Amino acid sequence: MIHIDAERCINCMQCVKVCPFQVLEGGGGKPECIRENLCIQCLHCAAACPREAVSLDDLNGTFQGDFPSFSDNFSDQIEHHLLTRRSYRSFKSDVVDKNIIAHALQTSAWAPSAKNDHPTEWIVVSGKPFIQEIMDHILSYVDETGISPEIASLYKAGHNIVTGTANTLILAAAKTTAINPSVDTALALYNAELVLQANGLGTCWAGYLTRMCNQIPSLRQLINLPEDCQIYNALMVGYPDQEHYLHIPNRKKQPAIHWIETATR
Ligand SMILES: Cc1cc2nc3c(=O)[nH]c(=O)nc-3n(C[C@H](O)[C@H](O)[C@H](O)COP(=O)(O)O)c2cc1C
């Protein structure tokens, strides 16, 4: 429930202006919450309030946690980070610090999400024996069905395209009835990936693993995936066992940009 503290509010109506669903109205000179059923709890109203007068249930509108500050050349730094992000498939055997994973996953709460639904539920698998068990289910399935035979042939040749040599896997699950689970989980996981790589970890998106987790009943059971959920995206994680990539490769495919422009006065 959106609450506006009348003593703090200066009736500037910023909260009314930024609300994407017109939950708030200010017709009577004061902001009022009149369409609460449409509220997606994004707290844009609170973010725009100059007096911190808006809250949601017991949530103060202003984030109280640690908040890293901008450095002077932030735009260069973020671009640097985006351009140096790479897929890592080969990892040291060192166990990944659980706190780094938890911290990275917490940042996913700030990713965009359709109607602020945030449907992602994380399954974090750590430890080689369990990951090998997952792999064994996949190899048996590939063997029985003939689906994705390259998984088995590459594996026999010493190359695991499903989990790499990761000792941690992050699975992004969501209910299939969520509003936009495939996009929301991808955005959430990408937030986490950027934070993980910023902390010296290597990551690689795991599309084969994602598909197999949903497809193989015994694997669904192994990871306790409820019937109404799917894995939508997954990530291999570990400390890279190679030197960081030395070069930023050129991209073979450049973004195709189709501008549609109208004259502005
Ligand atoms: C949705 C998705 C699924 C992927 N699945 C796999 C996979 O199953 N195994 C793998 O080794 N790499 C996988 N990748 C990694 C891509 O191969 C990699 O991102 C691409 O080759 C570009 O390399 P870069 O990430 O280093 O820029 C996947 C990437 C995405 C985005």
Side-chain angles (χ1 to χ4, degrees), residues 85-87 89 161 204-209 233 236 251:
R85 183 213 57 83
R86 269 297 68 71
S87 292
R89 301 176 177 88
I161 195 75
C204 182
W205 287 65
Y208 279 114
L209 177 66
N233 286 289
M236 316 167 198
R251 288 300 188 183

Side-chain angles (χ1 to χ4, degrees), residues 61-127:
T62 309
F63 177 59
Q64 305 291 328
D66 285 342
F67 182 52
S69 55
F70 270 127
S71 57
D72 287 346
N73 56 350
F74 173 70
S75 107
D76 287 349
Q77 288 184 352
I78 193 164
E79 209 167 313
H80 179 98
H81 192 49
L82 292 174
L83 266 65
T84 51
R85 183 213 57 83
R86 269 297 68 71
S87 292
Y88 294 83
R89 301 176 177 88
S90 189
F91 305 97
K92 290 180 182 156
S93 55
D94 306 27
V95 174
V96 177
D97 184 340
K98 207 172 163 181
N99 291 324
I100 299 181
I101 304 265
H103 171 67
L105 295 182
Q106 267 143 18
T107 67
S108 71
W110 279 267
S113 168
K115 285 205 160 175
N116 207 24
D117 189 29
H118 288 282
T120 312
E121 294 192 22
W122 302 103
I123 300 173
V124 182
V125 178
S126 79

Side-chain angles (χ1 to χ4, degrees), residues 18-254:
V18 295
C19 176
F21 283 95
Q22 298 193 311
V23 172
L24 303 171
E25 263 194 18
K30 284 178 183 302
E32 269 183 280
C33 182
I34 57 157
R35 294 188 196 89
E36 199 166 13
N37 57 323
L38 294 182
C39 177
I40 58 170
Q41 307 190 330
C42 63
L43 279 173
H44 282 195
C45 46
C49 176
R51 299 293 304 272
E52 298 190 36
V54 186
S55 55
L56 169 73
D57 298 331
D58 54 348
L59 256 193
N60 179 304
T62 309
F63 177 59
Q64 305 291 328
D66 285 342
F67 182 52
S69 55
F70 270 127
S71 57
D72 287 346
N73 56 350
F74 173 70
S75 107
D76 287 349
Q77 288 184 352
I78 193 164
E79 209 167 313
H80 179 98
H81 192 49
L82 292 174
L83 266 65
T84 51
R85 183 213 57 83
R86 269 297 68 71
S87 292
Y88 294 83
R89 301 176 177 88
S90 189
F91 305 97
K92 290 180 182 156
S93 55
D94 306 27
V95 174
V96 177
D97 184 340
K98 207 172 163 181
N99 291 324
I100 299 181
I101 304 265
H103 171 67
L105 295 182
Q106 267 143 18
T107 67
S108 71
W110 279 267
S113 168
K115 285 205 160 175
N116 207 24
D117 189 29
H118 288 282
T120 312
E121 294 192 22
W122 302 103
I123 300 173
V124 182
V125 178
S126 79
K128 279 277 170 67
F130 199 87
I131 293 176
Q132 187 57 50
E133 210 177 320
I134 290 177
M135 206 50 216
D136 291 343
H137 280 260
I138 294 173
L139 289 167
S140 305
Y141 178 78
V142 167
D143 192 38
E144 281 159 24
T145 62
I147 289 171
S148 302
E150 69 277 16
I151 291 178
S153 51
L154 285 165
Y155 190 80
K156 273 186 204 124
H159 182 62
N160 185 337
I161 195 75
V162 181
T163 65
T165 59
N167 58 31
T168 301
L169 302 172
I170 298 178
L171 311 177
K175 288 210 165 95
T176 52
T177 50
I179 296 166
N180 200 336
S182 54
V183 172
D184 281 355
T185 52
L187 291 165
L189 191 58
Y190 192 51
N191 259 26
E193 175 177 43
L194 291 176
V195 174
L196 289 169
Q197 292 215 359
N199 281 282
L201 284 158
T203 56
C204 182
W205 287 65
Y208 279 114
L209 177 66
T210 300
R211 188 153 57 84
M212 294 297 168
C213 283
N214 296 318
Q215 243 164 274
I216 307 174
S218 62
L219 189 46
R220 289 185 70 101
Q221 242 177 6
L222 185 70
I223 59 170
N224 285 327
L225 187 63
E227 248 181 43
D228 57 352
C229 283
Q230 265 198 34
I231 302 297
Y232 285 92
N233 286 289
L235 208 58
M236 316 167 198
V237 186
Y239 293 100
D241 79 348
Q242 70 222 62
E243 283 297 304
H244 278 76
Y245 292 103
L246 298 177
H247 305 286
I248 299 171
N250 282 315
R251 288 300 188 183
K252 195 162 162 62
K253 287 194 179 163
Q254 289 296 316

